[in-house]
Amino acid sequence: MGEFDFIDRSQSNAEKYTLKQKLFGTQEVLPMWVADMDIATPACVLDAVRHRLEHPIIGYEIMSEHAYEAQCDWVARHHRWSISAEWLSYSPSVVASIGCAIRAFSNEGDEVIVQSPVYPPFYEMVRSNNRKLVLNPLVQDNQGEYRFDLEDLKAKITPKTKLLLLCSPHNPVGRVWSREELTALGELCVQNGIIIISDEVHCDIVFSENTHIPLASISPILGENTVTLMGPGKTFNMAGFSISTVVIASSVLRERYRIQQHKIHYGDGAVLSHVAFEAAYRQGELWHENLLNHLTLNRTMIEQWCVAHPIIGFRKPQGTYLVWLDCRALKMGDRELRDFFVQEAGLGLSAGLGFGKEGSGYMRLNFAVATEILERALNQLSNALKRNGYG
Ligand SMILES: Cc1ncc(COP(=O)(O)O)c(C=O)c1O
């Protein structure tokens, strides 16, 4: 398959496999949980790392200006957002950046808004930094589409509300927020002195009928009020390089973030990651195009399967390679639902409840796998439903 290879990771140290027993109590599941892909990291990235290894010293190095510029160019091309290298700083992980930003822009006891259901570390970062978690759950409209609930948000804002953690595109519900939605949310936050930390790590996995809008690109005012987290980890399946960036247009916020970063002293990361980062953003274009084509095919397969199995509710993800399956019609408790997927269907998915109580009755499936694997998984699920009298 040349540039685009599916890899059997079962004999590697991939978390998806090594944690199977611990998470599911058995080895006998197809793992479709943690958010990385069974697709080889782009050859251009691996080649660049091999090339760097020809130099025999792997010492301290800083992120170069041209590595940052590679990301700036990518963001300008793909998201029509003009950012400058001086706004960027290195981070070993997006979750670490969330923690650092929480510490930089709020004090212990301050309130941080989280829009549930959401990627679980959002909650953990607020709690472990002794901030007060305030939930502003997403709501579903008549069509079942998830929306922000701005009325609820307005009612919850107090003088202690300092931050809102935004997930855009949204894991797990798969929404790509529209310009109008983001503008309304962003303006409400600006009016109330709430800084937005916008986790946009899934920004490059967006399907053709949708467009990712970086919150900070919408207007200079929103730009000055937003801390954007981005990186190549999801886009190019290279989470193991532990490299991402924090983008801050406001020099005042940048300085506050820098002070906090300095206290943690996570430095500038590893040289092989710098090389991988630059190669991905400079040369990963074609690979990324192939990736979106493949994910689109897999998404269609799931859609067709759900049409044939209406007991499982489905909304097409607009972005991310994660699908949020509505299993409430099965009328099982959450433990029973999880056990059904593991023991009856042989599938290792992420249980919805892990994303917050609004996730009760849902399961999240990662479809960034070979089409044959997805087909096998869906067959296993069809058979399990049939055997258990669900049609
Ligand atoms: C929304 C979101 N943010 C952050 C991460 C993790 O990023 P990192 O590994 O860079 O901490 C994930 C991984 O699934 C995610 O879905």
Side-chain angles (χ1 to χ4, degrees):
M1 266 225 164
E3 258 226 295
F4 200 65
D5 294 329
F6 295 96
I7 305 294
D8 174 2
R9 308 169 75 193
S10 58
Q11 302 310 310
S12 74
N13 197 27
E15 200 173 305
K16 195 173 182 182
Y17 286 87
T18 52
L19 292 184
K20 255 199 222 182
Q21 189 72 38
K22 182 168 172 210
L23 291 179
F24 306 109
T26 170
Q27 293 291 341
E28 303 307 312
V29 284
L30 272 181
M32 303 178 91
W33 59 287
V34 63
D36 64 10
M37 310 194 251
D38 287 351
I39 296 163
T41 303
C44 59
V45 171
L46 304 176
D47 287 345
V49 171
R50 277 189 208 102
H51 178 70
R52 176 60 185 79
L53 284 171
E54 281 167 21
H55 188 290
I57 297 181
I58 307 295
Y60 288 123
E61 294 196 15
I62 57 167
M63 273 281 274
S64 66
E65 190 87 355
H66 41 93
Y68 284 131
E69 276 162 8
Q71 191 185 28
C72 294
D73 291 348
W74 176 278
V75 170
R77 264 196 328 278
H78 286 259
H79 306 300
R80 302 203 180 132
W81 184 27
S82 173
I83 54 178
S84 96
E86 75 172 310
W87 298 1
L88 270 54
S89 61
Y90 162 85
S91 170
S93 103
V94 171
V95 176
S97 314
I98 294 175
C100 191
I102 287 174
R103 295 168 83 94
F105 305 120
S106 66
N107 293 312
E108 290 202 2
D110 283 345
E111 294 161 3
V112 180
I113 306 277
V114 170
Q115 297 173 305
S116 47
V118 79
Y119 178 59
F122 276 37
Y123 306 110
E124 290 152 25
M125 285 297 103
V126 175
R127 290 200 187 102
S128 62
N129 284 293
N130 300 324
R131 272 58 172 177
K132 185 170 170 217
L133 181 67
V134 177
L135 296 181
N136 168 226
L138 300 175
V139 285
Q140 286 177 279
D141 66 16
N142 299 339
Q143 259 74 63
E145 195 67 283
Y146 282 96
R147 306 270 175 204
F148 299 137
D149 186 347
L150 298 189
E151 289 310 311
D152 176 70
L153 177 56
K154 271 183 213 159
K156 287 177 176 165
I157 293 172
T158 78
K160 287 202 129 305
T161 315
K162 299 294 182 220
L163 291 172
L164 181 141
L165 305 187
L166 173 66
C167 195
S168 172
H170 193 277
N171 170 11
V173 309
R175 274 303 315 278
V176 172
W177 307 110
S178 69
R179 183 178 296 276
E180 292 68 33
E181 288 172 303
L182 290 168
T183 304
L185 177 73
E187 286 179 352
L188 181 59
C189 287
V190 169
Q191 284 154 16
N192 288 280
I194 299 169
I195 294 168
I196 299 188
I197 301 171
S198 187
D199 177 341
E200 303 189 13
V201 75
H202 292 280
C203 65
D204 297 310
I205 316 280
V206 168
F207 298 98
S208 58
E209 67 279 12
N210 290 93
T211 305
H212 172 73
I213 315 276
L215 175 71
S217 73
I218 291 177
S219 68
I221 291 172
L222 293 185
E224 290 286 306
N225 192 54
T226 305
V227 172
T228 307
L229 312 179
M230 290 182 153
K234 302 288 169 211
T235 312
F236 301 105
N237 203 28
M238 46 183 274
F241 278 109
S242 286
I243 188 165
S244 65
T245 51
V246 182
V247 188
I248 310 179
S250 153
S251 57
V252 175
L253 297 192
R254 210 157 57 227
E255 180 57 11
R256 283 170 69 186
Y257 189 86
R258 195 196 60 76
I259 291 169
Q260 189 57 45
Q261 204 178 20
H262 187 70
K263 288 184 191 167
I264 300 171
H265 196 79
Y266 61 55
D268 231 18
V271 53
L272 296 181
S273 304
H274 303 164
V275 166
F277 176 99
E278 183 172 355
Y281 282 124
R282 280 272 173 247
Q283 301 165 50
E285 200 73 57
L286 178 61
W287 185 94
H288 175 250
E289 219 177 287
N290 287 338
L291 172 68
L292 291 184
N293 290 337
H294 171 71
L295 294 177
T296 303
L297 284 177
N298 278 7
R299 185 182 65 155
T300 303
M301 180 182 278
I302 299 171
E303 186 179 18
Q304 288 167 349
W305 184 93
C306 286
V307 169
H309 300 82
I311 188 107
I312 304 291
F314 170 80
R315 286 206 66 79
K316 237 181 182 176
Q318 299 169 334
T320 80
Y321 45 73
L322 309 163
V323 57
W324 188 232
L325 298 172
D326 181 352
C327 306
R328 289 175 299 175
L330 296 176
K331 300 208 181 319
M332 295 180 188
D334 284 289
R335 174 154 274 277
E336 196 188 349
L337 180 63
R338 208 197 76 121
D339 288 350
F340 172 79
F341 271 81
V342 172
Q343 288 156 20
E344 295 291 325
L347 297 177
L349 271 53
S350 306
L353 199 57
F355 297 85
K357 75 174 172 29
E358 298 77 10
S360 174
Y362 286 79
M363 296 294 287
R364 191 195 74 173
L365 179 145
N366 174 345
F367 59 92
V369 295
T371 304
E372 306 80 80
I373 300 286
L374 179 61
E375 199 170 5
R376 191 181 340 148
L378 294 174
N379 281 337
Q380 289 178 197
L381 187 52
S382 306
N383 292 337
L385 289 171
K386 220 179 282 163
R387 270 201 314 278
N388 288 273
Y390 292 104

